[in-house]
Amino acid sequence: MSDSAIGIFDSGLGGLTAVKELVKVLPNENIVYFGDTARVPYGNRSKKTIVKYAEQDASFLLSKGVKMIIAACGTVSSVATGLCDTLPVPFTGVVAPTANAAVRATKNGKIGVIGTSATVNSQSYKKAILSANKNIKVYQQDCPLFVSLVENSFISEEDPIVQLVVERYLEKLKSQNIDTLILGCTHFPIIAGAIHNYLGDNVTLIDSGKETALYAAEILRQKNLLNNDKAPGDCIYYVSDTVDDFKRTAQIFLGKNDIEDVYHITL
Ligand code: DGL
């Protein structure tokens, strides 16, 4: 089973930020990615709908014979919390690894959390942080427009529109003197430059994709499921909307433009 692929899913393209990190950490692993591009965004939907979509996404990956599933989506990880109990393979979402990294990083005990409305309303990050250290102060802000900015390629830190939206959403967190900020949504690392410029060098940004990739690698190591083949792994992408749209926008997330092996599926 160790040469089976790792399955990663997201509501759309954002989970590719986690794929990029996973390839850095485990370059010889095969990856099957599913982006539910026909039904994105999940972040403003009801719990019932998010749970149903998450189960369908995970079932699709299981049908591809994956050895582990990563929900790279902050919204799914926050809301579909029972998913892990239903799966026959190891699973991780993004919340626990990311919250733990933030707890390790903070020096003044003030952590900010940004995500979709569903993520922030679920209080998932706040609960995970407080269960690790109940003395930490957690400040949350939902930033739904960040997803639209990234999906529409408004990502430059020089862009006044990006700067304005960043300032509008993060003004309060800045005044609360946080020293650590969780980027609790797959899309947000793409505009980390603008967020960093606004908050300054004293605020450490925690990337959920990166922390989750490191955590997933650790799970596979512990369970003896790492691929022993030393050749670079393959990445196959499946999407529920058009392949061409995916290829175009995926360049932003993966930072490369030769994305092959993309297939359309209907769930
Ligand atoms: N993937 C989602 C997340 O990380 C963002 C996009 C959406 O709302 O579906 O929360």
Side-chain angles (χ1 to χ4, degrees):
M1 192 174 188
S2 59
D3 59 351
S4 303
I6 301 170
I8 306 186
F9 74 91
D10 180 44
S11 55
L13 290 137
L16 295 175
T17 52
V19 171
K20 195 174 170 190
E21 297 300 331
L22 199 63
V23 170
K24 277 188 213 158
V25 180
L26 297 172
N28 57 328
E29 291 292 334
N30 298 309
I31 294 173
V32 175
Y33 180 84
F34 173 61
D36 196 3
T37 49
R39 302 192 295 196
V40 69
Y42 287 6
N44 49 11
R45 295 187 193 272
S46 68
K47 176 171 174 136
K48 194 171 164 209
T49 301
I50 294 166
V51 168
K52 185 176 90 184
Y53 287 178
E55 285 171 356
Q56 291 171 340
D57 301 345
S59 295
F60 169 71
L61 290 175
L62 287 175
S63 77
K64 295 289 162 198
V66 297
K67 62 182 173 185
M68 175 180 195
I69 292 183
I70 302 172
C73 178
T75 302
V76 165
S77 309
S78 297
V79 176
T81 46
L83 184 63
C84 58
D85 304 328
T86 66
L87 299 174
V89 294
F91 168 85
T92 183
V94 294
V95 173
T98 312
N100 289 336
V103 170
R104 289 194 300 274
T106 185
K107 300 218 165 30
N108 73 359
K110 292 183 180 181
I111 298 176
V113 178
I114 55 175
T116 63
S117 302
T119 294
V120 166
N121 291 340
S122 76
Q123 311 268 339
S124 58
Y125 280 103
K126 186 169 182 179
K127 287 180 201 157
I129 291 166
L130 294 181
S131 77
N133 182 339
K134 64 178 176 12
N135 297 319
I136 289 177
K137 296 258 177 298
V138 183
Y139 305 92
Q140 304 185 87
Q141 175 66 55
D142 60 339
C143 306
L145 280 181
F146 283 179
V147 173
S148 309
L149 284 178
V150 172
E151 292 277 340
N152 291 288
S153 308
F154 286 87
I155 55 173
S156 166
E157 56 196 65
E158 314 295 337
D159 187 327
I161 294 175
V162 177
Q163 291 170 351
L164 190 67
V165 180
V166 165
E167 181 181 346
R168 187 68 64 87
Y169 278 139
L170 302 188
E171 211 168 10
K172 196 151 169 227
L173 288 177
K174 191 172 184 176
S175 72
Q176 281 152 334
N177 198 26
I178 56 165
D179 73 349
T180 304
L181 178 68
I182 289 180
L183 306 180
C185 169
T186 47
H187 287 61
F188 297 179
I190 303 288
I191 53 167
I195 294 171
H196 169 262
N197 287 349
Y198 179 68
L199 292 177
D201 290 339
N202 294 334
V203 178
T204 304
L205 304 184
I206 308 288
D207 176 338
S208 61
K210 183 172 167 196
E211 298 307 330
T212 305
L214 291 168
Y215 183 66
E218 193 47 43
I219 293 178
L220 290 173
R221 202 166 289 127
Q222 279 171 14
K223 296 197 178 290
N224 232 351
L225 283 173
L226 286 172
N227 192 359
N228 297 321
D229 186 348
K230 295 293 170 230
D234 293 326
C235 214
I236 301 180
Y237 305 93
Y238 294 90
V239 288
S240 51
D241 205 343
T242 71
V243 166
D244 287 348
D245 281 349
F246 174 86
K247 282 188 175 172
R248 220 176 359 262
T249 319
Q251 296 173 17
I252 299 173
F253 288 88
L254 292 172
K256 60 176 191 175
N257 49 18
D258 55 341
I259 301 156
E260 294 162 8
D261 284 333
V262 187
Y263 304 95
H264 173 264
I265 57 135
T266 307
L267 281 185

